[in-house]
Amino acid sequence: MDTLTRDALAVLQPGFTGTTAPAWLLRRLGEGLASVGLFGRNIASPEQLAALTAHLRAERGDVLVAIDEEGGDVTRLEVRTGSSFPGNLALGAVDDTALTRAVARELGRRLAACGVNLNWAPSADVNSDPDNPVIGVRSFGADPQLVARHTAAYVEGLQSAGVAACTKHFPGHGDTAVDSHHDMPRIDADLATLRARELVPFRAAVAAGTKAVMSAHILLPALDADLPATLSPAALHGLLRAPVADGGLGFDGLIVTDGMEMQAVSGTYGIERGSVLALAAGADAICVGGGLADEDTVLRLRDALVAAVRAGELPEERLADAAARVRALARWTSGEGAAEEGTAPAPEVGLTAARRALRVTASPGHEPLTGPAYVAAFTPLANIAVGDETPWGVGAELARLLPGTSTGTYGRDAARAPDVLAAAGGRRIVAVVRDAHRHGWMAEALDALLAARPDTVVVEMGLNAAPPRGGLHIATHGAARVCGVAAAEVIAGAA
């Protein structure tokens, strides 16, 4: 196979279906494919994942095995049980960078033990819009300086375990009201605001040595009036790559695109044209495989890149440079990026962080629950990044602490207070909500429930944007499994 075709394969980061490596994927690794992306559908257990990555490395020893493992609400490693680590908002609420570093290191240690060496994390987005439908608790917070120091700590912790960090979503997805999985978000901030807010955490990540940065499919007219950041030379080459002395961030590592099948790009440009434009703009690795996960997609993209070079639309040296950056990161993970020695595993650090992140407000006269409770889980539709297959809430842990506790799930079309009251009977009610400020139906159901039962315990597992209410109010700052465990301990008086 010629060098041009091998380079075109090297810049792709595709996914696949199933928990074993398909024959086509192994064959393409032998032909030059240098990266593979893993998702929840590929993981059944740590042992199975380790066997899968070992199979991939038997075909190509320096393959980059990437995963979208933020911890918190976005987990692939523990997609079936919920994460053992709280997400970014919880860590930001504690605001202890040493704790953030320790959490990221333990997460990285577990990934490395399973053979994963590139993590599409952390999210460095400043969540300046509380109605943001896709970032929210995935951000460390709304203060650029707080987000910056925790982004740097996360990068340092993760990479100390030998796993490359991929800081996202450049140049910042926090001020959006649209999910780029579905449409093109637009941020109308001026360049001065962008530099003082969105770019602050990315500067910190670059200073901390992040090995990769992921671009966002967002339109920032002050930077580029026509092209989203992933496809914009002004964003990738002129801002992210440009020297600090010229107003850029001076980043020299790997630039990875967000998923190219997301509608913000695929719906306007198509994945083939979008991939060519992204490489030409300065991206080095094309992430595809969250929704498209087959050999045909890999071949279509490979052939589109080769054809673009031959047609003069994509400089051959740009493709070669991108492929070289992918291979350079693979060498780092295989050699100099080895985990630091001398630090023992810290299996309880995630639960410790979740407990510290709780914000508990008790009304006068509130008493811990001592008997069975009724958990009313008001469940919104999950965004695609989080997924709807990961369990969340406090019901399972509360049933263990308070035997006889049961849970009812209430969605947009079934959130009626009388139904909750009837199901609860004489039991205390625990209302579990997630971003109640963003969902009118949820807020209305909670209002009616509290009017009838003021002693209701309220657990907010999303962004805590409303005043505390109820007999006991617990803000967990995320919906990871350990956040639910920590909240249940308080409810049952076990904390």
Side-chain angles (χ1 to χ4, degrees):
M1 184 168 291
D2 62 80
T3 299
L4 177 58
T5 304
R6 292 185 69 84
D7 284 350
L9 277 173
V11 302
L12 303 180
Q13 291 189 347
F16 62 95
T17 58
T19 55
T20 58
W24 70 261
L25 182 65
L26 298 173
R27 183 168 61 252
R28 300 306 170 189
L29 285 172
E31 294 175 355
L33 186 69
S35 307
V36 174
L38 299 180
F39 298 86
R41 65 186 177 227
N42 304 122
I43 300 169
S45 69
E47 295 76 18
Q48 168 269 325
L49 179 55
L52 169 60
T53 58
H55 195 189
L56 296 173
R57 289 200 169 85
E59 188 62 44
R60 183 185 179 107
D62 64 348
V63 63
L64 284 173
V65 181
I67 198 168
D68 194 4
E69 181 58 54
E70 299 176 16
D73 289 31
V74 179
T75 179
R76 311 303 182 220
L77 195 60
E78 299 180 277
V79 67
R80 290 167 178 77
T81 59
S83 182
S84 299
F85 304 92
N88 285 2
L89 187 64
L91 295 171
V94 178
D95 196 14
D96 178 346
T97 54
L99 179 65
T100 295
R101 191 175 295 106
V103 166
R105 178 177 172 81
E106 176 61 17
L107 177 58
R109 188 193 66 78
R110 296 189 192 186
L111 290 174
C114 295
V116 176
N117 54 11
L118 172 60
N119 192 7
W120 294 320
S123 169
D125 307 294
V126 178
N127 199 60
S128 51
D129 184 350
D131 290 330
N132 193 312
V134 68
I135 302 300
V137 297
R138 299 168 66 197
S139 166
F140 289 110
D143 176 3
Q145 296 299 329
L146 179 145
V147 176
R149 60 180 173 265
H150 286 278
T151 296
Y154 195 106
V155 167
E156 293 164 356
L158 187 66
Q159 294 188 168
S160 72
V163 176
C166 183
T167 305
K168 62 188 183 186
H169 308 79
F170 181 84
H173 212 310
D175 192 26
T176 59
V178 173
D179 185 343
S180 51
H181 289 90
H182 303 298
D183 208 343
M184 180 76 75
R186 176 187 174 107
I187 297 178
D188 287 312
D190 57 28
L191 283 177
T193 300
L194 184 70
R195 292 184 181 280
R197 186 178 62 190
E198 272 78 11
L199 295 184
V200 174
F202 288 97
R203 289 195 199 99
V206 172
T210 186
K211 293 298 176 181
V213 169
M214 178 176 282
S215 65
H217 306 330
I218 55 177
L219 188 67
L220 297 101
L223 189 62
D224 189 320
D226 301 313
L227 295 169
T230 293
L231 312 183
S232 169
L236 301 188
H237 180 74
L239 185 58
L240 182 54
R241 286 273 191 238
V244 174
D246 295 335
L249 273 66
F251 178 63
D252 194 40
L254 189 75
I255 299 177
V256 183
T257 72
D258 207 344
M260 296 301 287
E261 65 268 52
M262 293 163 65
Q263 285 298 305
V265 169
S266 65
T268 303
Y269 303 92
I271 61 168
E272 294 96 334
R273 181 63 181 162
S275 296
V276 170
L277 291 173
L279 265 292
D284 304 306
I286 303 297
C287 177
V288 64
L292 300 172
D294 53 51
E295 184 177 20
D296 179 63
T297 298
V298 172
L299 297 180
R300 283 165 54 201
L301 292 180
R302 180 200 66 183
D303 293 347
L305 295 177
V306 169
V309 170
R310 290 175 174 163
E313 298 175 352
L314 175 64
E316 186 170 0
E317 58 271 22
R318 172 76 273 272
L319 179 60
D321 172 64
R325 291 179 187 275
V326 172
R327 295 174 186 130
L329 182 57
R331 287 193 298 272
W332 179 86
T333 62
S334 299
E336 64 185 274
E340 295 176 3
E341 297 181 0
T343 301
E348 294 299 312
V349 68
L351 182 55
T352 297
R355 287 167 174 160
R356 290 182 62 186
L358 296 183
R359 297 296 178 266
V360 181
T361 306
S363 297
H366 168 77
E367 295 182 359
L369 278 67
T370 56
Y374 181 73
V375 179
F378 294 98
T379 306
L381 293 175
N383 69 58
I384 293 176
V386 173
D388 58 8
E389 67 270 39
T390 304
W392 68 284
V394 303
E397 182 65 15
L398 205 54
R400 184 184 70 81
L401 296 173
L402 300 174
T405 293
S406 61
T407 299
T409 301
Y410 301 87
R412 183 188 184 97
D413 298 325
R416 290 178 287 271
D419 294 338
V420 176
L421 293 168
R427 292 176 291 177
R428 291 279 296 276
I429 297 173
V430 178
V432 184
V433 295
R434 197 169 179 176
D435 291 335
H437 70 285
R438 290 187 51 238
H439 303 286
W441 64 269
M442 191 183 299
E444 290 173 10
L446 187 59
D447 287 344
L449 192 58
L450 288 170
R453 295 280 293 271
D455 65 346
T456 293
V457 175
V458 178
V459 182
E460 171 59 84
M461 303 195 79
L463 202 66
N464 188 36
R469 294 190 298 164
L472 180 70
H473 184 277
I474 303 173
T476 62
H477 302 99
R481 177 180 57 80
V482 286
C483 297
V485 171
E489 291 173 343
V490 173
I491 294 168

